Amino acid sequence: MDALGIALIGCGTVGTGVAKILLERGERMLSRAGRPLELRRIVVRDPVRPRDPAIPTTLITTDFSTVLSDPNVHVVVELVGGTQKARQFVLESLHAGKHVVTANKALLAEHGTEVFEAARQNERTVAFEASVAGGVPIIAAIGQSLAANQVTSIQGILNGTSNFILTAMADKGQSYADALAEAQRLGYAEADPTLDVDGSDAAHKLGVLARLGFGIDVPMASIERIGIDRIDATDLKFAQELGYVIKLLAEAWLNQGQVAMHVAPVLLRRNSMLAQVRGAYNAIQVMGDVVGETLYMGPGAGMMPTASSVVADLIDLAVGRAQRTFQQLRLWEASAQGFSLRSNDTVTSRFYLRLQVDDRPGMLAEVARVLASHQISIASVIQHEPRDTTGAQSVPLVIMTHAAPTGGFRRALDTINQLPGVHAPCVWYSVAD
Amino acid sequence: MDALGIALIGCGTVGTGVAKILLERGERMLSRAGRPLELRRIVVRDPVRPRDPAIPTTLITTDFSTVLSDPNVHVVVELVGGTQKARQFVLESLHAGKHVVTANKALLAEHGTEVFEAARQNERTVAFEASVAGGVPIIAAIGQSLAANQVTSIQGILNGTSNFILTAMADKGQSYADALAEAQRLGYAEADPTLDVDGSDAAHKLGVLARLGFGIDVPMASIERIGIDRIDATDLKFAQELGYVIKLLAEAWLNQGQVAMHVAPVLLRRNSMLAQVRGAYNAIQVMGDVVGETLYMGPGAGMMPTASSVVADLIDLAVGRAQRTFQQLRLWEASAQGFSLRSNDTVTSRFYLRLQVDDRPGMLAEVARVLASHQISIASVIQHEPRDTTGAQSVPLVIMTHAAPTGGFRRALDTINQLPGVHAPCVWYSVAD
Ligand SMILES: NC(=O)c1ccc[n+]([C@@H]2O[C@H](COP(=O)([O-])OP(=O)(O)OC[C@H]3O[C@@H](n4cnc5c(N)ncnc54)[C@H](OP(=O)(O)O)[C@@H]3O)[C@@H](O)[C@H]2O)c1
Ligand SMILES: NC(=O)c1ccc[n+]([C@@H]2O[C@H](COP(=O)([O-])OP(=O)(O)OC[C@H]3O[C@@H](n4cnc5c(N)ncnc54)[C@H](OP(=O)(O)O)[C@@H]3O)[C@@H](O)[C@H]2O)c1
């Protein structure tokens, strides 16, 4: 059978990995795909930038239009990143009759509907396994393997940088700043880690998964997100004392036709599977109404793990599977019967609440009274002696509540933050059970 | 598009689940597959056996030949079990031009080559997601999502019954007999649990995975297996004391063109992911040479989880993906470049060794000397006081070794079992690190 002709746009971390597999593993690709996967062009920004010696300079170009006009390029692999140029490359490729493979969650989260629509107009396919959780085949799991199910919840550790930092803070007692510096030194965090640690990257990935699992197009602005950038080591310690671990989770739940979503640090029971996911690994727990609970774990980023998923998409295209999957997604989305977004205020959860309060009698009673007036009952309390004996006047007070609607909890919190003797603002996280 | 016509052979636990999804979730199936999945016949052994009220008696028959002759049946779903009748049903279906979906690991492990060959001769497809790990999509993961990789190792908790029993023994300190009785009461173990607890079921599943991951046809007799039926609660306790958990693992490793495989209770570090897999869950850790380590977890058996995987295969067939996947597997197998089986004696591992020895000086020294003479060094030792003070003359001695080839360790063991003062036979397990 004829070769599948491939052009890479972008030859940075992931692009280099993909090029190496295609160039160095030709025989394997032939056996997996039944036809050669032929890398025909590599488009970059800077033609003289030094590259991995495995990348033939003869393939390198800065002229994207040569890709569009080459009839022997069947698939464009977008590994540029960002949403501006990438959107343009992808739309033009589809209009030129090329299939697209992309690892770009930001693009799909923000322009997914437009991109998918362009693909359909042109009867072409978009494959995007690498856009969520790097080497973990979560797109195939939800889009194919769980097809008998309606997904009812998704809980993911989707940002390796954040998980690396939280793991280092919990294990070594490092401060946030020290753990971040270490992550940067080891290459797990970018020089500018903002999108990773503020929850945006995880929110993008959650948006991609929600489209697949629930058939909804979620405006990024409507995904509430709290990052790990204001996490205090104190809370990791208290969580530990209570038998919990704090992880940055991206969560979505389907309930009576409505989907609630958020990205936030969440307390997980120490012996739960997600609590065990350490370092830069990603993991996603997916609940289906037929199968129950399933979990997928692996390296969430990095050159070769991400390339593994990009190449899986290329093989799927070469075999002809990806085309059928993408075509089915349309019906799948249409069948979502109008699932709508739900306010997080209606989501019920247990809560962890840490207050710094004046060291005087009656503080706990006052806080408990406010919670009770919002129908929130207390499950457990930790109150230690002041840590320094140098005359500290305030003490930490940690409360775990029973389950309550988030809206009520937030209103209670507003009142508690106003209480005399409470050093506002209080710190709180939801608790996954 | 035309309906995909389906016949179920067998309507027991799994068959009933599949029938319910097809009959009660018609609209969902249509949206997932783009065409109706139509259940046309259900073949059983006993026509008058009471069945779930959801199963229409009009579909029930005992005459398999009506399936073969019905041109509107495109797929036969074999959910009979066993290797005799099932083999016949499957081969006849393929020869009659039907695709086959099966959950039958015993059939595939023992007659996989014959079944696959018959499918190819007839240009038909065999899909078997449900045959390993119930609701966990491990077949799709290895066969499609990791296609860029050469799988280099597989480590699986593949028997839910065994894992349930080991979890109960470890958590509640139950004896093997009590934990088995509880598993039977709760429906996690069959009345005759032999194939589950002696490692045969896990070996069948490992055989199916090895065919997929390494392209080899493994005679069942060549998979060494040790079940959990002789596990002593004492060893779970010692393992715990050393920071380990004992799990029944099915393992296969590729090394220099050779594949070693076994099923055995193995010590896993307490904080490893597989160690956290509790109760009847299954999980598989797959290492690929490109992606690194990935893990898949979910319910390993049961009516609906297993049906979820069977129906995923039916949707794949309806969409046309399964046909392409199965076709590719042929090349994949052929590309295995003659991976051969490797003797476990050459596999290097650490070992846990528990001896019951006379309570006299010098016993440890003698055992250590034998180990040393086989180049096996000791990493740690536990030796407690005798548990009863009623004049017990022997004490347990627990040794963790450093890594050594299994063959050498076994020879050392033969000698140790002969030592005066050692109450043979010693108990030993390998240690996964
Ligand atoms: N890195 C990971 O581990 C990972 C994991 C999962 C998903 N992803 C996603 O994969 C994508 C690529 O990530 P990456 O880490 O590989 O990025 P990167 O290392 O920054 O590489 C970006 C590449 O795009 C090229 N490029 C940028 N602007 C261009 C333009 N206007 N025209 C042509 N080429 C242009 C760059 O060219 P020069 O080489 O000339 O500068 C570079 O080769 C992103 O969407 C990212 O979110 C990455
Ligand atoms: N149970 C699980 O959780 C699970 C999980 C994964 C895989 N599997 C696999 O799935 C398969 C089915 O398991 P199961 O638990 O559903 O078995 P099961 O409950 O024992 O049901 C077997 C069915 O096969 C029918 N049958 C037996 N012999 C037959 C014959 N000669 N002709 C026609 N029908 C015949 C029986 O008919 P009657 O109803 O008339 O007796 C019954 O409906 C097995 O291969 C098993 O290994 C099971």
Side-chain angles (χ1 to χ4, degrees):
Chain A
M1 213 198 253
D2 281 355
L4 183 77
I6 297 164
L8 291 187
I9 319 298
C11 194
T13 304
V14 183
T16 302
V18 173
K20 289 177 84 148
I21 297 174
L22 296 178
L23 295 165
E24 295 169 2
R25 297 288 186 185
E27 266 192 54
R28 184 186 294 175
M29 296 306 111
L30 182 59
S31 87
R32 299 315 198 220
R35 52 198 283 208
L37 299 191
E38 208 171 295
L39 180 55
R40 296 209 161 122
R41 285 167 198 274
I42 302 177
V43 184
V44 297
R45 192 175 29 190
D46 177 358
V48 298
R49 180 177 149 182
R51 298 183 191 276
D52 189 293
I55 309 293
T57 49
T58 50
L59 293 181
I60 296 272
T61 171
T62 56
D63 185 0
F64 173 64
S65 70
T66 61
V67 166
L68 295 181
S69 59
D70 184 346
N72 290 319
V73 168
H74 310 112
V75 186
V76 170
V77 183
E78 184 275 304
L79 298 171
V80 170
T83 55
Q84 306 280 309
K85 290 297 279 180
R87 171 173 165 275
Q88 181 195 327
F89 290 142
V90 162
L91 292 176
E92 289 182 10
S93 298
L94 292 168
H95 290 309
K98 318 291 187 194
H99 299 298
V100 167
V101 173
T102 179
N104 191 334
K105 52 268 178 182
L107 176 68
L108 293 178
E110 293 182 9
H111 305 290
T113 301
E114 181 186 19
V115 165
F116 283 20
E117 196 44 46
R120 276 156 193 157
Q121 267 171 27
N122 294 286
E123 294 180 7
R124 285 300 173 274
T125 291
V126 181
F128 48 95
E129 182 64 74
S131 67
V132 181
V136 185
I138 186 64
I139 303 296
I142 298 181
Q144 296 177 58
S145 298
L146 299 183
N149 294 262
Q150 171 60 53
V151 170
T152 56
S153 73
I154 296 171
Q155 297 181 285
I157 294 176
L158 295 179
N159 186 268
T161 306
S162 296
N163 202 56
F164 180 91
I165 292 172
L166 288 178
T167 308
M169 289 176 73
D171 287 5
K172 307 185 201 161
Q174 283 181 326
S175 70
Y176 172 75
D178 288 350
L180 171 59
E182 186 180 351
Q184 284 171 321
R185 197 160 39 76
L186 294 173
Y188 288 119
E190 309 279 332
D192 176 4
T194 312
L195 292 185
D196 287 321
V197 300
D198 78 355
S200 297
D201 174 73
H204 283 145
K205 292 166 180 167
L206 186 62
V208 175
L209 294 184
R211 178 185 296 276
L212 202 61
F214 307 113
I216 49 175
D217 181 10
V218 190
M220 273 305 106
S222 64
I223 302 183
E224 252 182 57
R225 72 202 75 161
I226 305 171
I228 61 158
D229 37 353
R230 274 168 298 179
I231 285 260
D232 191 319
T234 310
D235 295 302
L236 298 181
K237 279 195 220 100
F238 279 120
Q240 206 157 17
E241 205 170 309
L242 292 158
Y244 290 83
V245 165
I246 298 185
K247 294 287 187 188
L248 184 72
L249 289 195
E251 302 185 286
W253 309 265
L254 174 66
N255 201 300
Q256 301 184 316
Q258 290 196 306
V259 181
M261 299 167 71
H262 77 156
V263 174
V266 168
L267 272 74
L268 288 165
R269 279 191 202 280
R270 185 168 33 220
N271 64 356
S272 70
M273 288 299 284
L274 287 177
Q276 308 298 330
V277 177
R278 306 166 66 72
Y281 276 84
N282 280 15
I284 306 99
Q285 194 164 297
V286 182
M287 183 83 81
D289 65 350
V290 177
V291 73
E293 191 180 294
T294 61
L295 181 135
Y296 311 85
M297 193 188 98
M303 176 183 288
M304 296 320 283
T306 311
S308 171
S309 289
V310 170
V311 174
D313 279 345
L314 289 170
I315 293 170
D316 266 4
L317 274 164
V319 169
R321 280 190 299 246
Q323 292 85 328
R324 287 156 191 253
T325 303
F326 186 70
Q327 211 179 347
Q328 280 321 116
L329 281 184
R330 170 173 232 163
L331 289 164
W332 194 319
E333 282 182 36
S335 80
Q337 301 154 317
F339 290 155
S340 58
L341 278 181
R342 174 175 164 202
S343 158
N344 284 332
D345 278 354
T346 65
V347 175
T348 293
S349 170
R350 298 175 59 209
F351 295 95
Y352 164 97
L353 174 63
R354 175 170 62 84
L355 314 95
Q356 194 69 21
V357 295
D358 283 356
D359 191 13
R360 61 168 170 82
M363 282 308 305
L364 173 58
E366 282 178 52
V367 172
R369 184 187 50 75
V370 175
L371 289 171
S373 75
H374 289 83
Q375 276 79 52
I376 300 164
S377 56
I378 292 177
S380 58
V381 172
I382 303 181
Q383 186 160 11
H384 290 302
E385 300 296 307
R387 252 173 297 170
D388 56 64
T389 47
T390 59
Q393 301 296 305
S394 77
V395 288
L397 171 63
V398 171
I399 293 174
M400 293 282 274
T401 74
H402 284 297
T406 304
F409 179 76
R410 282 177 174 159
R411 283 190 296 277
L413 213 60
D414 287 343
T415 308
I416 291 169
N417 275 328
Q418 310 293 329
L419 286 180
V422 169
H423 302 220
C426 307
V427 173
W428 67 277
Y429 297 110
S430 62
V431 179
D433 281 294
Chain B
M1 213 199 252
D2 282 353
L4 183 77
I6 297 163
L8 292 187
I9 319 298
C11 193
T13 304
V14 183
T16 302
V18 173
K20 288 177 84 151
I21 297 174
L22 296 178
L23 294 166
E24 295 169 2
R25 297 287 186 185
E27 266 193 52
R28 184 186 295 175
M29 296 306 111
L30 182 58
S31 87
R32 298 317 198 219
R35 54 197 280 210
L37 299 191
E38 207 171 297
L39 180 55
R40 298 209 160 122
R41 285 167 200 275
I42 302 177
V43 182
V44 297
R45 191 174 31 190
D46 177 358
V48 298
R49 180 177 149 182
R51 298 185 190 277
D52 189 293
I55 309 293
T57 48
T58 50
L59 293 181
I60 296 273
T61 172
T62 56
D63 185 0
F64 173 64
S65 71
T66 62
V67 165
L68 295 181
S69 59
D70 184 347
N72 289 320
V73 168
H74 310 112
V75 187
V76 169
V77 183
E78 184 276 305
L79 298 170
V80 170
T83 55
Q84 306 279 309
K85 289 296 280 180
R87 171 172 166 276
Q88 181 195 327
F89 291 143
V90 162
L91 292 176
E92 289 182 8
S93 298
L94 292 167
H95 290 309
K98 319 291 186 192
H99 299 299
V100 167
V101 173
T102 179
N104 193 332
K105 52 268 178 181
L107 176 69
L108 293 178
E110 294 182 8
H111 304 290
T113 301
E114 181 186 19
V115 166
F116 282 20
E117 195 44 46
R120 275 155 195 158
Q121 268 172 25
N122 294 286
E123 294 180 8
R124 285 300 174 271
T125 290
V126 180
F128 48 95
E129 183 64 75
S131 67
V132 182
V136 185
I138 187 63
I139 302 296
I142 298 181
Q144 298 177 57
S145 299
L146 299 183
N149 294 263
Q150 172 58 54
V151 170
T152 56
S153 73
I154 296 172
Q155 297 182 284
I157 294 176
L158 295 179
N159 185 268
T161 306
S162 297
N163 202 55
F164 180 91
I165 292 172
L166 288 178
T167 307
M169 289 176 74
D171 287 4
K172 307 184 200 162
Q174 284 181 325
S175 70
Y176 171 75
D178 288 349
L180 171 59
E182 187 180 350
Q184 284 170 321
R185 198 160 39 76
L186 294 173
Y188 288 119
E190 308 279 332
D192 176 4
T194 312
L195 292 185
D196 287 321
V197 300
D198 78 355
S200 298
D201 175 74
H204 283 145
K205 292 167 180 166
L206 186 62
V208 174
L209 294 183
R211 178 186 297 275
L212 202 60
F214 306 113
I216 48 174
D217 182 11
V218 190
M220 273 304 105
S222 65
I223 303 183
E224 252 182 56
R225 71 201 76 160
I226 306 171
I228 61 158
D229 38 351
R230 274 167 300 179
I231 285 260
D232 192 319
T234 310
D235 295 302
L236 297 182
K237 279 195 219 98
F238 278 120
Q240 206 157 16
E241 202 170 312
L242 291 159
Y244 290 83
V245 165
I246 299 185
K247 294 286 186 188
L248 184 73
L249 289 194
E251 303 185 286
W253 309 266
L254 175 66
N255 201 300
Q256 302 184 315
Q258 290 196 306
V259 181
M261 300 167 70
H262 77 155
V263 174
V266 169
L267 272 74
L268 289 164
R269 279 193 202 280
R270 185 169 29 221
N271 65 356
S272 70
M273 288 299 286
L274 286 177
Q276 307 299 328
V277 177
R278 306 166 65 70
Y281 276 83
N282 280 16
I284 305 99
Q285 196 164 296
V286 182
M287 184 82 81
D289 64 352
V290 176
V291 73
E293 190 181 294
T294 61
L295 181 134
Y296 310 85
M297 192 188 99
M303 176 182 289
M304 296 320 285
T306 311
S308 172
S309 288
V310 170
V311 173
D313 278 346
L314 288 171
I315 293 170
D316 267 4
L317 274 164
V319 169
R321 280 190 299 246
Q323 293 84 330
R324 287 156 191 251
T325 303
F326 186 70
Q327 211 180 346
Q328 279 321 115
L329 281 184
R330 172 174 230 162
L331 289 163
W332 195 318
E333 282 182 35
S335 79
Q337 300 154 318
F339 290 155
S340 58
L341 278 181
R342 174 175 164 203
S343 157
N344 284 331
D345 278 354
T346 66
V347 175
T348 292
S349 170
R350 299 175 57 210
F351 296 95
Y352 163 97
L353 174 63
R354 176 170 62 83
L355 315 94
Q356 194 69 23
V357 295
D358 283 356
D359 191 12
R360 62 169 170 79
M363 282 308 305
L364 174 58
E366 282 178 52
V367 172
R369 184 187 50 74
V370 175
L371 289 171
S373 75
H374 289 84
Q375 278 79 51
I376 300 163
S377 56
I378 292 178
S380 59
V381 172
I382 302 180
Q383 185 160 13
H384 290 302
E385 301 296 306
R387 251 174 296 171
D388 56 62
T389 46
T390 57
Q393 300 295 306
S394 78
V395 289
L397 171 64
V398 172
I399 293 174
M400 292 282 274
T401 75
H402 284 297
T406 304
F409 179 76
R410 283 178 174 159
R411 283 190 296 278
L413 212 59
D414 287 342
T415 309
I416 290 169
N417 276 326
Q418 310 292 330
L419 286 180
V422 168
H423 303 220
C426 306
V427 173
W428 66 277
Y429 298 110
S430 62
V431 179
D433 280 295

